[in-house]
């Protein structure tokens, strides 16, 4: 049985993702792949339970880009 996440918790989740996007933007300039890997891993693991399955896919792509040290792929994932 799937549990319904309250709207307030979902909104807070999205606010936190705004910070992740900001962190990733800074990481892009610094070529800091550890940030992409951390954020991507977190998104991949926790977006779906909050009702944001497309973010889980983006997280997987971001994490893969970090492991491959591919700035272009990381940038494309962030744009999505």
């Amino acid at each position: 049985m799937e549990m319904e996440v309250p709207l307030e918790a979902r909104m807070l989740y999205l606010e936190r993702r705004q910070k992740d996007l900001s962190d990733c933007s800074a990481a892009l300039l610094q070529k800091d792949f550890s940030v992409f890997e951390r954020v991507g891993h977190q998104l991949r693991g926790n977006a779906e339970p909050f009702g944001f399955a497309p973010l889980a896919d983006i997280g997987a792509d971001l994490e893969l880009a970090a492991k491959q040290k591919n700035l272009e792929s990381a940038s494309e994932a962030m744009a999505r």
Side-chain angles (χ1 to χ4, degrees):
M1 182 174 158
E2 192 172 312
M3 191 172 101
E4 181 72 24
V5 177
L7 180 59
E8 185 176 311
R10 293 182 70 197
M11 297 307 291
L12 182 58
Y13 179 81
L14 288 177
E15 285 177 28
R16 289 182 181 143
R17 301 305 61 89
Q18 286 291 83
K19 182 180 181 325
D20 287 342
L21 185 57
S22 177
D23 290 348
C24 284
S25 293
L28 194 60
L29 296 173
Q30 298 170 7
K31 299 177 183 170
D32 185 350
F33 293 100
S34 67
V35 172
F36 301 134
E37 189 166 6
R38 175 186 54 81
V39 170
H41 183 78
Q42 288 174 341
L43 283 175
R44 185 172 55 85
N46 65 24
E48 198 166 339
F50 278 90
F52 301 106
L55 282 179
D57 294 338
I58 292 169
D61 291 345
L62 192 58
E63 187 175 17
L64 180 61
K67 289 178 179 177
Q68 295 176 340
K69 300 200 181 316
N70 186 326
L71 283 178
E72 186 176 334
S73 292
S75 181
E76 290 171 2
M78 288 170 48
R80 291 183 18 231

